[in-house]
Amino acid sequence: MSNSQPNYEAMFSGVIGKDYDLLKLICPASIEMSRRVGETVATYPPAQNSPLKVVELGGGTGITTLAILSAAGNIELLSIDNEPTMQDQAKHNLKPWVDEGKLSFSGRDALSALQQLPAASVHVVASAYTLHNFPGDYRVRVVEEIFRVLVPGGWLVNGDRYALDDITEHTRSIQKEVGGYFKVLTELNRIDLLEHWIVHLFNDESENHVMRETPALSGLENAGFTSIKLSNRQEVNALVTAVKPGSMAV
Ligand SMILES: C[S@@+](CC[C@H](N)C(=O)[O-])C[C@H]1O[C@@H](n2cnc3c(N)ncnc32)[C@H](O)[C@@H]1O
């Protein structure tokens, strides 16, 4: 299924349900980012007669997972998430793709799930809005494991919160974001969710979690990645792609 189909939006709403509709109101940039992650994954040069092997970190309720599955045809996707209440929704929402043999799940945490995979066995590791949740030292280890499991020529595709290097500008961006949460969630009378989002934001912005652009990209370089690009920045949201050096052959 291609993203250009007019019912793409309706399909997401139908498959993921209320969760998708609410996120679209609270954080439309994140929905757009999942779509971009899916489209980018689908441009990986296809291997002859074998499926595109993709690992997704932090599948949540399945929004990014669906974006990847919708954009790529011949695919084997392993979606990892260590929060069962989230992953159970994805399992329910995306059952048709499981039945087709295109999708499987791991309930382990990202690091130990990656550690279980053989080296050079995955074409693309994709993720949206997950790596920024990791404490910095855990994220470094995850990035090293991503590099290990990728085939030479394999890609990392991560749509996420990349904090701006300019701290004053970053603070302004977060203030604008908080203003948006208050506007949308008070109108919806969802003070419970407002509290949840603000509390979570403190976690994202804390010293040991915040994923600032330049150190994050340097971390990828230190792990061995090349062709590291940050694009599609919209406030704190940006798409990062990186390549494991080597030829594309599996
Ligand atoms: C904000 S959600 C993103 C979901 C989806 N990718 C999206 O963009 O809508 C982040 C997900 O990462 C998962 N997560 C957080 N830390 C994790 C870890 N260490 N290992 C595996 N999953 C993790 C959470 O359970 C959550 O479902």
Side-chain angles (χ1 to χ4, degrees), residues 79-192:
S79 181
I80 297 165
D81 200 298
N82 65 347
E83 181 49 69
T85 48
M86 302 285 276
Q87 196 177 58
D88 286 349
Q89 291 178 62
K91 284 181 178 165
H92 172 79
N93 294 335
L94 304 175
K95 190 173 178 303
W97 285 269
V98 176
D99 293 344
E100 261 189 86
K102 290 185 167 181
L103 174 63
S104 58
F105 291 95
S106 163
R108 288 176 171 266
D109 77 282
L111 182 61
S112 58
L114 286 165
Q115 282 168 338
Q116 285 216 313
L117 297 175
S121 61
V122 173
H123 298 112
V124 182
V125 173
S127 190
Y129 297 102
T130 297
L131 269 65
H132 79 272
N133 287 297
F134 297 165
D137 49 352
Y138 178 91
R139 191 186 301 135
V140 169
R141 296 176 68 200
V142 167
V143 166
E144 286 166 359
E145 279 302 304
I146 293 172
F147 188 84
R148 187 188 64 81
V149 303
L150 283 173
V151 298
W155 294 357
L156 166 65
V157 178
N158 187 38
D160 216 322
R161 295 174 69 89
Y162 283 92
L164 296 153
D165 286 334
D166 181 329
I167 293 176
T168 307
E169 209 187 316
H170 181 74
T171 303
R172 271 197 214 107
S173 186
I174 297 298
Q175 286 165 336
K176 194 168 151 194
E177 187 176 348
V178 170
Y181 294 160
F182 271 83
K183 184 169 184 317
V184 171
L185 292 169
T186 51
E187 269 169 22
L188 291 174
N189 200 20
R190 290 299 305 268
I191 305 304
D192 56 329

